[in-house]
Amino acid sequence: MGLTIAQKIIRDHLVSGEMIPGTEIALKIDQTLTQDATGTMAYLEFETMGIPRVRTERSVAYIDHNTLQSGFENADDHRYIQSVCKKHGVYFSRPGNGICHQVHLERFGKPGKTLIGSDSHTPTGGGIGMLAMGAGGLDVAVAMGGGAYYITMPKMYKVVLTGKLRPFVTAKDVSLEILRQLSVKGGVGAIIEWGGEGVSTLSVPERATITNMGTELGATTSIFPSDEITREFLKAEGREEDFVALASDPDVEYDKILHIDLSTLEPLIACPHSPDNVVTVASLKGTKVDQVCIGSCTNSSLQDMLKVAALLKGCTIQPSVSLSISPGSKQVLTMLAECGALTDILASGARVLECACGPCIGMGFSPNSGGVSLRTFNRNFEGRSGTADGQVYLCSPETAVAAALTGTITDPQLLGEMPQIHFPESFRIDDSAVLAPASEEEAADVEVLRGPNIKEFPQSHPQLDTLSAPLVLKVGDNITTDHIMPAGAKILPYRSNIPHLSQFCFGVCDTTFPERAKAAGQSIVVGGSNYGQGSSREHAALVPLYLGVRAVIAKSFARIHAANLINAGIMPLTFKNADDYDKLNQDDALEISGVYAGMDSGEMILINKNNGDAIALCADFTDRQKAILKAGGLLAYTKELGEN
Ligand code: MIC
Ligand code: SF4
């Protein structure tokens, strides 16, 4: 039987394990990326490993999330990242150079290579045939040190595309359609390959929109073939030599096959507060809109921006609407300026924001209270915009422009003819905002600059054979990392200060959680299905660790968050029978005895000391994960390995 594109890349990078779905494999990682909100922690972790220079082919640190300096904190963290990168062999993309995924795709990604990034949208690289995955900061630190990246061998899904998108129907609508079909947990445990004759009608930026948003399906990653369109893109970026052709073998057997006829798709929109809450734009016709935001790593390419500029040209946005546009990179912004498109954008009344994540992570541009905000982003989780009762919808740039021009949700197909867009044959190449690291000889003299915002790591704890702790918080299905550890302008500057961050833990669900958890000493959290979906932020594990959480029991977990919990020494356990979730209540006194034997047998018994109920739990850990949990987290485990 033949292999899929992803299986071929995995085969070529396999360090241990076998390509059997559901079993643990370890992969050699060629490239890493970090962004600043997760990067400080990742580099602190890298430093504790004591490795002088990164051992990857290319590691890049981007500054794109924490671009508001409203105090010394972000500025200090950036200075730290810049200096630590210089010392240890990491390229440093300066603030203003763009969003990590957009810039990495433009300048560094290579088909057939493996990439992990401390950001969940790293699969954007799948748009050029990379095996690109989001990971916790500690896993990225280990990969920078030359260590393997461990994942569960995924199943292989294929989406077969036929036909061609009609004007005003876009790659974003393809992403929303697959979310509508599969839901936010439909891709868990799988790699989604996009194939079929329709692929040849999609440009690289369109493919990247689709692989970017595959993250919202919970997929390990998403990938497109590397073909002539990929070659043209790389050539336009002045790096045709990075091209290799990649395709799946014809006789591959997929675990699931889905079909989308591009020519039948309609403009779609995801309603608050989940990316899979998808309906047609037409069905919301007339809904009043307060704010429109265009940008983010999903929709900020030159292609997207040229279309937006062409639609805005000669028009003025509604006085009732506030429109922001954040181009994805300096390359995109410069080219918009050079061809005059930026003038059309500005003339329409839009606010042009810097090339960064911006409103997508609540770094400014929060909507008015109860405001309806249409965003070309990938996430609309509750509270993420910075306005607790903001109503965020996700849509394509075309739908976003239609709303800005009319003041209501409007099917963009009603805008008339799609203007002709002229794409340049080559991009403007200027890597001056990417600073190369010091040479090996000079590195010793580079001083790493640490600010006072950098605080100690939380103390991890080896799992003991008996865990006796109260159920300090019970939450429902699809709890995101934005619920567990919110972001936004006020909180993000403290990503290297866990004690400060801890005040906001689970704030969206229950503001009393931090105090109650601290008072309990050690505790257990109970969740529903797909617990920890969304971001790769390891802070959603490190902060609960700091507050004393020793285990999370859920119906199921999102991949990256489960790995982050184990790395932090917190046990992710699942209900053997999902209905047992209903038998537990907040404040119940819980006990699991025989933790070690349970890890070996794969099953633990949870006793509810309030009523004597015995509940069976699955403790599905590999030998490596058991050892990490027993040691009290990945750093402690790595240290133990070093000592033995
Ligand atoms: C996000 O989109 O949620 C983020 C902010 O980019 C996160 C990373 C973080 O929390 O720093 C992600 O997607 O991993
Ligand atoms: Fe940045 Fe938003 Fe993309 Fe996350 S999803 S990397 S916050 S643009």
Side-chain angles (χ1 to χ4, degrees):
M1 200 176 64
L3 296 178
T4 67
I5 305 165
Q7 285 168 336
K8 290 180 189 181
I9 303 177
I10 291 173
R11 176 200 59 199
D12 294 347
H13 291 81
L14 202 59
V15 175
S16 69
E18 282 177 66
M19 294 204 298
I20 302 168
T23 62
E24 189 174 63
I25 55 167
L27 297 174
K28 179 187 174 298
I29 297 301
D30 302 319
Q31 298 190 343
T32 63
L33 70 80
T34 57
Q35 40 91 336
D36 48 343
T38 52
T40 310
M41 200 53 91
Y43 294 107
L44 287 167
E45 289 161 340
F46 178 77
E47 281 190 296
T48 64
M49 289 169 9
I51 295 169
R53 204 168 176 84
V54 291
R55 295 178 179 152
T56 48
E57 290 173 14
R58 170 83 69 176
S59 285
V60 190
Y62 294 91
I63 305 294
D64 53 1
H65 283 62
N66 288 340
T67 52
L68 286 185
Q69 278 76 46
S70 53
F72 64 89
E73 293 87 356
N74 284 338
D76 277 9
D77 281 5
H78 293 169
R79 213 172 48 136
Y80 163 71
I81 295 177
Q82 182 169 349
S83 59
V84 83
C85 286
K86 187 168 181 190
K87 190 170 184 74
H88 295 290
V90 179
Y91 286 78
F92 178 78
S93 171
R94 305 184 69 170
N97 194 41
I99 305 174
C100 54
H101 309 303
Q102 175 65 25
V103 179
H104 207 84
L105 193 77
E106 290 169 359
R107 305 303 307 138
F108 301 113
K110 293 183 184 181
K113 296 286 182 183
T114 51
L115 163 72
I116 65 168
S118 59
D119 191 282
S120 65
H121 290 103
T122 304
T124 311
I128 50 168
M130 292 194 95
L131 190 77
M133 293 164 285
L138 185 47
D139 283 324
V140 175
V142 169
M144 286 192 285
Y149 179 51
Y150 289 81
I151 55 166
T152 303
M153 178 67 198
K155 291 176 280 186
M156 298 291 144
Y157 292 179
K158 180 166 188 175
V159 186
V160 181
L161 297 176
T162 49
K164 188 174 181 331
L165 290 168
R166 291 175 297 126
F168 294 104
V169 187
T170 69
K172 183 59 160 281
D173 300 303
V174 178
S175 295
L176 293 171
E177 169 62 14
I178 196 77
L179 272 155
R180 192 185 65 76
Q181 288 189 25
L182 287 181
S183 90
V184 288
K185 45 187 187 201
V188 173
I191 291 181
I192 300 183
E193 178 186 313
W194 292 79
E197 69 201 34
V199 162
S200 62
T201 68
L202 297 175
S203 66
V204 163
E206 289 174 317
R207 296 174 184 189
T209 294
I210 293 171
T211 54
N212 173 285
M213 246 189 125
T215 299
E216 270 50 65
L217 297 162
T220 304
T221 189
S222 304
I223 194 163
F224 272 83
S226 174
D227 56 11
E228 282 313 302
I229 290 171
T230 323
R231 184 205 291 275
E232 285 307 311
F233 175 82
L234 291 170
K235 190 172 165 202
E237 284 289 348
R239 47 195 197 95
E240 192 179 359
E241 69 282 4
D242 290 342
F243 174 76
V244 289
L246 287 169
S248 288
D249 293 329
D251 54 341
V252 173
E253 276 179 25
Y254 292 90
D255 296 284
K256 192 181 260 187
I257 300 185
L258 295 111
H259 296 267
I260 295 181
D261 179 352
L262 297 172
S263 55
T264 61
L265 282 186
E266 292 285 317
L268 297 171
I269 189 162
C271 302
H273 298 287
S274 182
D276 60 359
N277 203 358
V278 175
V279 297
T280 61
V281 174
S283 71
L284 297 184
K285 176 175 170 247
T287 308
K288 192 179 164 308
V289 173
D290 300 290
Q291 184 192 62
V292 175
C293 304
I294 301 177
S296 92
C297 55
T298 318
N299 279 120
S300 60
S301 64
L302 182 66
Q303 181 172 352
D304 282 330
M305 294 292 154
L306 286 176
K307 281 197 285 179
V308 167
L311 289 170
L312 287 174
K313 189 176 173 136
C315 304
T316 309
I317 60 168
Q318 286 294 317
S320 55
V321 176
S322 172
L323 169 65
S324 77
I325 298 187
S326 338
S329 68
K330 188 173 112 176
Q331 180 180 83
V332 172
L333 180 56
T334 312
M335 293 184 72
L336 288 176
E338 280 174 352
C339 73
L342 187 60
T343 312
D344 298 330
I345 290 176
L346 289 169
S348 74
R351 284 172 63 181
V352 176
L353 308 184
E354 72 177 318
C355 307
C357 302
C360 180
I361 192 56
M363 271 287 171
F365 226 79
S366 300
N368 53 293
S369 50
V372 169
S373 179
L374 257 62
R375 301 176 160 213
T376 67
F377 305 166
N378 47 39
R379 289 184 174 151
N380 57 348
F381 303 146
E382 199 172 356
R384 181 176 161 101
S385 67
T387 299
D389 59 358
Q391 303 295 309
V392 177
Y393 293 75
L394 306 174
C395 64
S396 70
E398 282 81 337
T399 301
V401 171
L405 293 178
T406 59
T408 57
I409 298 183
T410 302
D411 187 333
Q413 295 174 104
L414 300 174
L415 290 180
E417 285 272 293
M418 184 71 202
Q420 204 61 36
I421 312 289
H422 299 288
F423 289 106
E425 266 174 27
S426 59
F427 295 103
R428 192 177 196 284
I429 317 276
D430 170 10
D431 289 332
S432 58
V434 181
L435 308 182
S439 66
E440 264 175 80
E441 300 74 55
E442 289 160 358
D445 298 329
V446 175
E447 189 195 345
V448 176
L449 307 167
R450 281 166 233 278
N453 190 37
I454 296 180
K455 296 281 186 273
E456 292 277 293
F457 281 117
Q459 182 68 40
S460 66
H461 308 266
Q463 286 292 344
L464 301 176
D465 201 34
T466 299
L467 172 61
S468 207
L471 194 176
V472 79
L473 185 71
K474 183 176 176 185
V475 287
D477 288 345
N478 293 324
I479 286 294
T480 71
T481 51
D482 279 282
H483 290 99
I484 306 170
M485 196 51 254
K490 295 192 193 98
I491 304 180
L492 273 173
Y494 298 96
R495 280 290 181 88
S496 54
N497 184 342
I498 300 290
H500 184 89
L501 275 187
S502 70
Q503 305 167 56
F504 307 99
C505 188
F506 277 113
V508 184
C509 310
D510 177 353
T511 48
T512 67
F513 171 77
E515 221 169 279
R516 294 189 298 106
K518 253 190 180 164
Q522 55 176 21
S523 57
I524 294 175
V525 168
V526 167
S529 60
N530 202 23
Y531 180 89
Q533 69 156 326
S535 140
S536 68
R537 62 189 74 143
E538 58 188 336
H539 305 76
L542 293 176
V543 172
L545 169 70
Y546 173 81
L547 291 171
V549 176
R550 297 280 177 272
V552 179
I553 305 170
K555 290 183 187 170
S556 65
F557 286 90
R559 177 185 74 89
I560 306 176
H561 187 60
N564 285 341
L565 286 173
I566 294 172
N567 285 352
I570 300 176
M571 276 191 294
L573 301 165
T574 52
F575 292 101
K576 199 158 182 204
N577 171 2
D579 294 341
D580 285 342
Y581 167 88
D582 298 323
K583 293 188 182 156
L584 294 174
N585 294 305
Q586 200 154 300
D587 297 330
D588 283 352
L590 305 179
E591 185 163 293
I592 307 172
S593 51
V595 167
Y596 296 163
M599 281 184 184
D600 288 333
S601 66
E603 189 173 317
M604 292 184 191
I605 301 296
L606 174 81
I607 303 293
N608 186 341
K609 294 208 276 188
N610 283 25
N611 54 20
D613 267 357
I615 293 174
L617 303 175
C618 298
D620 221 354
F621 302 121
T622 64
D623 286 345
R624 182 181 150 272
Q625 291 170 333
K626 286 179 215 165
I628 293 174
L629 288 167
K630 285 184 188 165
L634 183 55
L635 274 180
Y637 167 75
T638 313
K639 206 161 153 233
E640 263 182 28
L641 282 186
E643 282 161 6
N644 292 330

Short mmCIF file of all heavy atoms in Angstrom, two decimals, residues 65 101 119 121 296-297 357 360-361 378 384, ligand 2:
data_model
loop_
_atom_site.label_atom_id
_atom_site.label_comp_id
_atom_site.label_asym_id
_atom_site.label_seq_id
_atom_site.Cartn_x
_atom_site.Cartn_y
_atom_site.Cartn_z
N HIS A 65 3.01 39.04 18.69
CA HIS A 65 1.81 39.05 19.54
C HIS A 65 1.80 40.25 20.49
O HIS A 65 0.84 40.99 20.56
CB HIS A 65 1.75 37.77 20.39
CG HIS A 65 1.29 36.56 19.64
ND1 HIS A 65 1.95 36.03 18.58
CD2 HIS A 65 0.21 35.75 19.84
CE1 HIS A 65 1.31 34.96 18.15
NE2 HIS A 65 0.25 34.77 18.90
N HIS A 101 3.48 33.07 11.16
CA HIS A 101 3.12 32.06 10.15
C HIS A 101 3.20 32.63 8.73
O HIS A 101 3.59 31.93 7.80
CB HIS A 101 1.73 31.52 10.44
CG HIS A 101 1.59 31.05 11.85
ND1 HIS A 101 2.43 30.11 12.39
CD2 HIS A 101 0.76 31.44 12.86
CE1 HIS A 101 2.11 29.92 13.66
NE2 HIS A 101 1.11 30.72 13.97
N ASP A 119 3.10 27.75 18.65
CA ASP A 119 1.87 28.44 18.30
C ASP A 119 1.01 27.44 17.53
O ASP A 119 1.51 26.76 16.62
CB ASP A 119 2.16 29.67 17.43
CG ASP A 119 0.91 30.51 17.32
OD1 ASP A 119 0.02 30.14 16.52
OD2 ASP A 119 0.79 31.51 18.04
N HIS A 121 -1.12 27.64 15.26
CA HIS A 121 -1.37 27.78 13.83
C HIS A 121 -0.15 27.51 12.96
O HIS A 121 -0.14 27.83 11.76
CB HIS A 121 -1.99 29.15 13.53
CG HIS A 121 -3.39 29.20 14.06
ND1 HIS A 121 -3.71 29.86 15.22
CD2 HIS A 121 -4.52 28.59 13.64
CE1 HIS A 121 -5.01 29.68 15.47
NE2 HIS A 121 -5.51 28.90 14.54
N SER A 296 -4.80 38.84 10.51
CA SER A 296 -4.47 37.61 11.25
C SER A 296 -3.73 36.63 10.35
O SER A 296 -3.74 36.76 9.13
CB SER A 296 -5.68 36.93 11.88
OG SER A 296 -6.23 35.96 10.99
N CYS A 297 -3.15 35.60 10.97
CA CYS A 297 -2.38 34.64 10.18
C CYS A 297 -3.24 33.86 9.20
O CYS A 297 -2.73 33.16 8.34
CB CYS A 297 -1.60 33.70 11.11
SG CYS A 297 -2.64 32.84 12.30
N CYS A 357 -0.36 40.30 15.16
CA CYS A 357 -1.62 39.61 15.49
C CYS A 357 -2.71 40.61 15.87
O CYS A 357 -3.87 40.43 15.52
CB CYS A 357 -1.40 38.65 16.65
SG CYS A 357 -0.15 37.42 16.34
N CYS A 360 -6.64 40.03 16.90
CA CYS A 360 -6.91 38.58 16.96
C CYS A 360 -6.65 38.03 18.35
O CYS A 360 -7.31 37.10 18.79
CB CYS A 360 -6.07 37.86 15.92
SG CYS A 360 -6.34 36.09 15.92
N ILE A 361 -5.67 38.61 19.04
CA ILE A 361 -5.36 38.13 20.39
C ILE A 361 -5.72 39.19 21.44
O ILE A 361 -5.20 39.19 22.56
CB ILE A 361 -3.89 37.61 20.46
CG1 ILE A 361 -3.62 36.84 21.75
CG2 ILE A 361 -2.86 38.69 20.20
CD1 ILE A 361 -4.56 35.68 21.98
N ASN A 378 -9.34 33.32 12.90
CA ASN A 378 -9.65 31.89 12.97
C ASN A 378 -10.37 31.49 14.26
O ASN A 378 -10.79 30.35 14.41
CB ASN A 378 -8.37 31.06 12.78
CG ASN A 378 -7.23 31.59 13.64
OD1 ASN A 378 -7.45 32.00 14.78
ND2 ASN A 378 -6.03 31.59 13.10
N ARG A 384 -12.29 36.47 23.98
CA ARG A 384 -10.95 36.58 23.36
C ARG A 384 -10.70 37.97 22.78
O ARG A 384 -9.56 38.44 22.73
CB ARG A 384 -10.82 35.49 22.29
CG ARG A 384 -9.47 35.44 21.58
CD ARG A 384 -9.45 34.25 20.63
NE ARG A 384 -8.42 34.38 19.64
CZ ARG A 384 -7.24 33.77 19.66
NH1 ARG A 384 -6.94 32.98 20.67
NH2 ARG A 384 -6.37 33.92 18.71
FE1 SF4 B 2 -1.56 35.60 15.99
FE2 SF4 B 2 -4.16 35.29 15.83
FE3 SF4 B 2 -2.59 33.86 14.33
FE4 SF4 B 2 -2.68 33.38 16.96
S1 SF4 B 2 -4.33 33.11 15.49
S2 SF4 B 2 -0.84 33.52 15.65
S3 SF4 B 2 -2.97 35.45 17.72
S4 SF4 B 2 -2.83 36.06 14.23
#
